[in-house]
Amino acid sequence: MASQLLLPPNQFTKSAKVFFTGDYQGLNDLTLRRKSLQVTRVSNGFSLRAKADLRSTNNKSLVEIPKQWYNLVADLSVKPPPPLHPKTFQPIKPEDLSHLFPNELIKQEATQERFIDIPEEVLEIYKLWRPTPLIRAKRLEKLLQTPARIYFKYEGGSPAGSHKPNTAVPQAYYNAKEGVKNVVTETGAGQWGSSLAFASSLFGLDCEVWQVANSYHTKPYRRLMMQTWGAKVHPSPSDLTEAGRRILESDPSSPGSLGIAISEAVEVAARNEDTKYCLGSVLNHVLLHQTIIGEECIQQMENFGETPDLIIGCTGGGSNFAGLSFPFIREKLKGKINPVIRAVEPSACPSLTKGVYAYDFGDTAGLTPLMKMHTLGHDFIPDPIHAGGLRYHGMAPLISHVYEQGFMEAISIPQIECFQGAIQFARTEGIIPAPEPTHAIAATIREALRCKETGEAKVILMAMCGHGHFDLASYDKYLKGELIDLSFSEEKIRESLSNVPHVV
């Protein structure tokens, strides 16, 4: 976060401002040294940019915002399978995607370039909350009595409260640059929808969001965030699209799913020339934009003098996990480091650990390209009592490919254990996590307690992708003892997987 410290006028000729960039800790313990001030003449006085000395060790996490996104595909010896046209089952061509995405995002989706320059306009907006802090969780370590050193990369300081604006901003920028007037999307808990609404408001785009019905009704404040930023929000399934009407005809009380909401948004984009579709996870260009997280974190870990032994992140569609881990996988491929990289998913929607690796649709209606990914079947609908986010039926194709190549591992954790970990984290580190990163927290606590038993002083790096200020209804259920672990239905999965297309 960027904060301004106003200095008395008599300390400098004319009015002066000192900008401090860093995390929240230590702001009241700031010592400025004259040698650290860089003075630049501006029209109304002087602007002084200072490197602040903090007595908190977290000043070591200060870095410059990266100027490029990283594309892991460039460094993979085995390239991921291509997406296929939903009707011909042939590799999709750029023109096949032109009704959904602007040209620059289509290029980024298929690029083999290692690095992509971040536009200056995007960097300027990133400066509202980036760089994000890397924080050592010393109080959690003390509670667990572990020799492990736990670090978390915190993305909750963005305007929308999560990592999602990292891709929402460039997606809105590229659409606006190509003259698009309207963007449509889906959202589950509302993290992505609110992020795109925020980004659209900055670039003058009209934004329309289909929110999974269960979340629309149980998470009103994320809906209100979207509406405050000017977006139209509909519960999905809706009667506004053919896809939604079909679902409602078969199940009038459908709780909805991300697959259904995607179908509705894609249908609207496909039938309106001035409208494009935006996706908050799964696709290559989305994962690309999120790598700004890992690029910052590599520098920050070096500043701390640490090398991670284990990197943990939650996975739903996969963008948060990819954003942190992909730059570290690059360094691992170079032989510089050798961390274990662990994805954590909910037991209620375990696409990596229980799904099949196959070509499947990204949506329920079968309107999207076929992507080779770990999937539970595009018809899969998680139980609405699942409180922990991460409800998508498939995993990002690139993450699925990396998993198949053996560069990472995956586990699933039930939601009560996740919320137990979230309470421990909140009561030691002060941050109330969104339901999604509670999975990473639970896995981190498991590992830290394992280190307590073995005496290993591992360095654990965890993705903390957002705060849970608008998810307190889930915490209310947990604190009242009303949250339950879902019994995993093998039969439900088999039924859903039976509809996965057979691609030769």
Side-chain angles (χ1 to χ4, degrees), residues 414-429:
Q415 63 182 3
I416 289 180
E417 182 181 347
C418 294
F419 276 87
Q420 287 172 339
I423 294 296
Q424 289 179 301
F425 188 88
R427 292 178 182 177
T428 53
E429 296 304 319

Side-chain angles (χ1 to χ4, degrees), residues 207-498:
C207 179
E208 197 165 6
V209 182
W210 274 261
Q211 184 172 15
V212 173
N214 182 63
S215 292
Y216 179 93
H217 296 297
T218 60
K219 297 180 183 293
Y221 295 108
R222 291 208 190 279
R223 169 171 52 81
L224 287 168
M225 286 178 73
M226 295 181 242
Q227 293 168 335
T228 299
W229 277 313
K232 294 179 182 178
V233 190
H234 313 289
S236 173
S238 75
D239 60 3
L240 300 174
T241 67
E242 183 180 341
R245 288 190 291 270
R246 281 203 305 268
I247 296 294
L248 290 174
E249 286 173 6
S250 62
D251 182 7
S253 61
S254 171
S257 71
L258 280 172
I260 296 170
I262 291 172
S263 293
E264 297 204 80
V266 168
E267 181 182 322
V268 171
R271 71 188 185 203
N272 292 282
E273 291 186 3
D274 62 351
T275 301
K276 298 292 185 185
Y277 170 67
C278 297
L279 188 62
S281 192
V282 177
L283 296 180
N284 289 357
H285 68 267
V286 181
L287 275 56
L288 173 80
H289 300 155
Q290 293 293 352
T291 58
I292 194 168
I293 301 172
E295 293 291 8
E296 283 182 3
C297 198
I298 285 175
Q299 299 177 57
Q300 290 168 321
M301 290 298 287
E302 290 176 353
N303 290 348
F304 275 112
E306 297 275 37
T307 300
D309 298 301
L310 175 63
I311 298 172
I312 297 174
C314 65
T315 48
S319 66
N320 153 69
F321 177 81
L324 178 64
S325 67
F326 280 7
F328 283 96
I329 291 177
R330 176 191 66 221
E331 301 305 300
K332 185 172 182 175
L333 290 171
K334 291 179 181 177
K336 292 184 176 181
I337 58 176
N338 190 33
V340 172
I341 299 172
R342 183 173 299 155
V344 190
E345 56 187 7
S347 296
C349 195
S351 57
L352 280 171
T353 55
K354 294 288 186 179
V356 298
Y357 185 51
Y359 272 104
D360 196 9
F361 295 106
D363 71 312
T364 300
L367 301 177
T368 65
L370 288 157
M371 299 176 288
K372 193 159 190 186
M373 59 184 178
H374 282 265
T375 178
L376 298 169
H378 58 277
D379 291 333
F380 180 80
I381 299 178
D383 195 304
I385 68 170
H386 170 48
L390 311 177
R391 296 180 173 97
Y392 188 55
H393 68 268
M395 184 53 59
L398 189 50
I399 289 180
S400 297
H401 178 69
V402 167
Y403 182 59
E404 288 293 309
Q405 295 298 306
F407 296 127
M408 55 172 279
E409 60 186 42
I411 62 172
S412 64
I413 297 181
Q415 63 182 3
I416 289 180
E417 182 181 347
C418 294
F419 276 87
Q420 287 172 339
I423 294 296
Q424 289 179 301
F425 188 88
R427 292 178 182 177
T428 53
E429 296 304 319
I431 298 169
I432 299 174
E436 292 84 356
T438 65
H439 298 77
I441 292 169
T444 296
I445 289 173
R446 280 187 184 183
E447 190 67 29
L449 293 176
R450 203 171 289 129
C451 288
K452 179 182 178 180
E453 293 176 359
T454 64
E456 295 175 278
K458 287 185 179 179
V459 176
I460 304 171
L461 172 60
M462 182 186 76
M464 177 64 178
C465 59
H467 67 66
H469 298 174
F470 302 117
D471 301 285
L472 292 176
S474 298
Y475 282 89
D476 185 41
K477 286 183 179 180
Y478 173 77
L479 293 170
K480 289 178 177 178
E482 297 173 357
L483 201 65
I484 64 172
D485 283 331
L486 303 175
S487 56
F488 183 77
S489 173
E490 296 283 356
E491 182 179 350
K492 184 178 180 181
I493 295 295
R494 283 196 299 270
E495 181 182 349
S496 180
L497 289 175
S498 68

Side-chain angles (χ1 to χ4, degrees), residues 147-207:
R149 298 190 295 282
I150 301 170
Y151 293 87
F152 62 96
K153 178 69 166 161
Y154 183 52
E155 293 291 303
S158 76
S162 77
H163 66 293
K164 295 289 188 177
N166 295 334
T167 185
V169 170
Q171 287 191 51
Y173 164 77
Y174 289 122
N175 274 288
K177 188 178 180 182
E178 294 187 21
V180 174
K181 302 299 182 184
N182 312 299
V183 291
V184 294
T185 195
E186 78 295 324
T187 195
Q191 293 276 23
W192 167 241
S194 57
S195 297
L196 187 63
F198 154 70
S200 297
S201 72
L202 300 181
F203 290 101
L205 297 172
D206 288 332
C207 179

Side-chain angles (χ1 to χ4, degrees), residues 69-108:
W69 297 303
Y70 167 64
N71 176 29
L72 178 61
V73 175
D75 289 322
L76 295 176
S77 57
V78 179
K79 304 303 180 186
L84 305 179
H85 194 284
K87 293 182 179 179
T88 66
F89 287 10
Q90 295 300 308
I92 206 158
K93 300 175 183 177
E95 54 267 29
D96 295 327
L97 298 173
S98 60
H99 64 291
L100 292 179
F101 305 111
N103 291 330
E104 184 57 36
L105 292 180
I106 294 173
K107 291 178 183 176
Q108 290 181 7

